[in-house]
Amino acid sequence: MIVFIIMLILSMISIPLIYHLFNKTGLKILFILYYLLSVIFLFKNVNVFNIDFSIMIVPYVSILSIIYIFTEKLNIKDMKKNIFMVSSYILFIIILIIMFLLYSQSVTDLVTTNLNQMLSKNILLLVLYSIMTVISFYSTYKIYNIIKKSSDVLFINISLTTILIGFIDCILFNIIVNIGIIGLDAAIKLGLGNYLFKIVLSIMFIPVIYYMINRRKSL
Amino acid sequence: MINVILLIFEVIFSYVFLLYTYKKYKEDGIYIWIVIAFILSSLMCIKHIEINNINMSLGIGISSTIYIANNILIQKKGNEYIKNNMIMLVTFSIIFVCLLILSGGMILSDFNDITSLTYDNILFSSVKYILANIISIIVGLYVNNYIYYQLRKIKNKIWISNIMSALIFTFVEVMIFMLITNFNSSSLYVMMMSLVIRYVIKIIILILGTYVIYIANNFRERL
């Protein structure tokens, strides 16, 4: 539990800290770094407060927070430019991951053998996660903008967006990728755990987003 | 043979993408490239491949492009921007390593526990490779910055600065990486062979990178 709290605090602090040190460029790098970490953390499910969930939720919520900040601070033209830039880097990363899998491993190395087994067992998870993130990021941006038109309260906007998108990127996603590995009941439990933590973490990130949005300095 | 072909493809693909980001996003693209390539190479180095029957870790191709991107920045902006770049690399590597290690210290769930256990196993067996990669690249970049900048001041010829600095910093970088990863775990002969092949491959990639710096320099004049 303590480790989880430290991880959460580090993720929360990193957003304003990186922006303070490296401006908008830093935030873009942080976005891509958290994407990479979320892909790695996909392979680890943890138990905190007796709830099971995937640890990838922490970097994932950090990415969504950066999307909210960009949506609030940038105009549509800059937002599109940033989305295109980040997407091209993510595409590059995906191609490199495929190449990484294609390299024929050294026969004597046990770590690489374990790595290959883990990746081949969870290949569906990797592929669907890449597709899901694109859908999820885009729908988060769209739904947040729709909700924003009828409400000015940041808390309501973020909570509602998270609750709506969570059905797809937590519950549905977990059921599809895990049903073949751990069964339907366990997949639903894991999905609900992810959903619950996503909502709680999104609410915890609101002060950070609020601070970033209300800075005088423009992005 | 497949590994050599993939390595060539990885290098070409990385250089093309580097030039694309530089042309499209200017210095912003280079900054992002350096950090992302740095993190990716740290992750890739946990996988081991064999080239000419010699065992070596991956990530050589993409890590070499970091130096070329860095040299493009020196050519364009001088030494001042490089300091900022080094601070950026150190900050992001601290965040990356901290989060990665913290993820390994959490209590596992009973669901899909074999995958989670394998994750922990791979993570703790690979920490020394990740740290070795991070330390060696940061030291290598520091040496490269100094040598490249001094050579550029004496004679502003890209190919002289790039090749001369590559010959020196690559040796330092490879030496640090090999010492950390192979210390007390393999024979001197195996270590020396790995060192030589890693050094030669990196030098070839970096010499090819000279052409990339020239192309990027031409972009600058056109932009």
Side-chain angles (χ1 to χ4, degrees), chain A residues 3 25 28 41 44-47 52 55 84-85 89 92 96 99-100 103-104 106 109 112 114 122, chain B residues 3 7 10 13 20-21 25 28-29 32 47-48 62 102-103 106-109 111 115-116 119-121:
Chain A
V3 178
T25 310
K28 287 179 206 163
F41 291 173
K44 181 152 179 174
N45 297 325
V46 293
N47 184 296
D52 297 292
I55 193 63
F84 187 76
M85 183 184 200
Y89 271 100
F92 172 78
L96 219 66
M99 281 173 64
F100 177 79
Y103 274 104
S104 84
S106 156
D109 188 49
T112 313
N114 286 339
N122 295 283
Chain B
N3 286 342
L7 188 64
E10 182 190 320
F13 179 58
Y20 163 76
T21 49
Y25 307 109
D28 240 22
I32 298 174
K47 183 166 180 172
H48 287 76
I62 193 149
L102 284 172
S103 76
M106 294 174 78
I107 300 166
L108 297 183
S109 153
F111 301 137
T115 300
S116 301
Y119 172 90
D120 281 355
N121 186 12

Side-chain angles (χ1 to χ4, degrees), chain A residues 13-24 27 69 72-74 154 206-219:
Chain A
I13 293 173
S14 65
I15 297 174
L17 177 80
I18 290 297
Y19 178 66
H20 178 73
L21 289 172
F22 312 115
N23 303 324
K24 198 168 69 176
L27 277 187
I69 295 164
E72 285 286 344
K73 294 288 269 188
L74 299 176
L154 191 71
I206 290 176
V208 176
I209 300 167
Y210 187 81
Y211 168 77
M212 293 292 293
I213 291 171
N214 288 292
R215 283 173 68 104
R216 278 186 192 166
K217 202 174 151 188
S218 63
L219 279 179

Side-chain angles (χ1 to χ4, degrees), chain B:
Chain B
M1 190 60 191
I2 180 126
N3 286 342
V4 178
I5 296 167
L6 280 167
L7 188 64
I8 293 168
F9 185 73
E10 182 190 320
V11 172
I12 294 169
F13 179 58
S14 302
Y15 277 148
V16 170
F17 194 79
L18 170 65
L19 286 171
Y20 163 76
T21 49
Y22 179 57
K23 191 169 186 183
K24 200 157 173 65
Y25 307 109
K26 302 183 181 82
E27 288 93 62
D28 240 22
I30 298 268
Y31 279 127
I32 298 174
W33 171 266
I34 291 175
V35 181
I36 299 305
F38 178 64
I39 301 292
L40 277 171
S41 72
S42 302
L43 288 171
M44 286 177 86
C45 73
I46 65 175
K47 183 166 180 172
H48 287 76
I49 57 166
E50 272 177 11
I51 290 179
N52 268 0
N53 292 328
I54 294 166
N55 198 357
M56 57 184 284
S57 52
L58 266 179
I60 297 182
I62 193 149
S63 68
S64 306
T65 63
I66 298 171
Y67 299 100
I68 298 301
N70 193 62
N71 293 348
I72 293 172
L73 263 187
I74 300 179
Q75 277 297 129
K76 188 171 168 64
K77 293 283 180 184
N79 216 16
E80 267 310 301
Y81 280 76
I82 297 306
K83 281 176 191 162
N84 188 32
N85 194 28
M86 293 292 284
I87 298 168
M88 204 182 239
L89 270 186
V90 173
T91 314
F92 278 103
S93 54
I94 290 171
I95 295 173
F96 168 69
V97 172
C98 286
L99 287 175
L100 208 59
I101 290 172
L102 284 172
S103 76
M106 294 174 78
I107 300 166
L108 297 183
S109 153
D110 292 334
F111 301 137
N112 205 4
D113 54 344
I114 297 169
T115 300
S116 301
L117 273 170
T118 315
Y119 172 90
D120 281 355
N121 186 12
I122 294 167
L123 180 67
F124 289 111
S125 316
S126 314
V127 163
K128 75 170 177 183
Y129 288 97
I130 297 171
L131 288 176
N133 193 66
I134 289 172
I135 295 167
S136 62
I137 290 179
I138 288 174
V139 175
L141 268 177
Y142 187 79
V143 176
N144 172 54
N145 290 347
Y146 181 77
I147 298 170
Y148 192 97
Y149 187 66
Q150 294 304 324
L151 288 170
R152 186 174 168 256
K153 270 203 305 196
I154 297 164
K155 198 167 189 176
N156 193 11
K157 291 269 183 207
I158 292 173
W159 67 273
I160 295 178
S161 311
N162 192 48
I163 294 170
M164 287 298 282
S165 65
L167 287 170
I168 300 165
F169 82 76
T170 308
F171 180 74
V172 177
E173 194 229 87
V174 172
M175 199 70 176
I176 293 170
F177 184 83
M178 297 310 289
L179 277 175
I180 298 174
T181 54
N182 288 301
F183 184 72
N184 229 2
S185 63
S186 57
S187 70
L188 191 66
Y189 174 75
V190 174
M191 191 176 140
M192 288 309 288
M193 284 310 288
S194 302
L195 193 146
V196 170
I197 197 151
R198 207 176 161 85
Y199 181 76
V200 171
I201 292 173
K202 277 212 148 192
I203 289 292
I204 294 169
I205 299 170
L206 287 162
I207 289 173
L208 286 173
T210 312
Y211 189 59
V212 177
I213 304 176
Y214 273 110
I215 297 172
N217 218 33
N218 283 342
F219 285 165
R220 186 185 69 172
E221 280 154 19
R222 280 184 214 159
L223 288 170

Side-chain angles (χ1 to χ4, degrees), chain A residues 8-19 30 34 205 208:
Chain A
L8 187 63
I9 293 170
L10 183 63
S11 308
M12 286 166 82
I13 293 173
S14 65
I15 297 174
L17 177 80
I18 290 297
Y19 178 66
L30 201 64
Y34 279 139
F205 268 80
V208 176

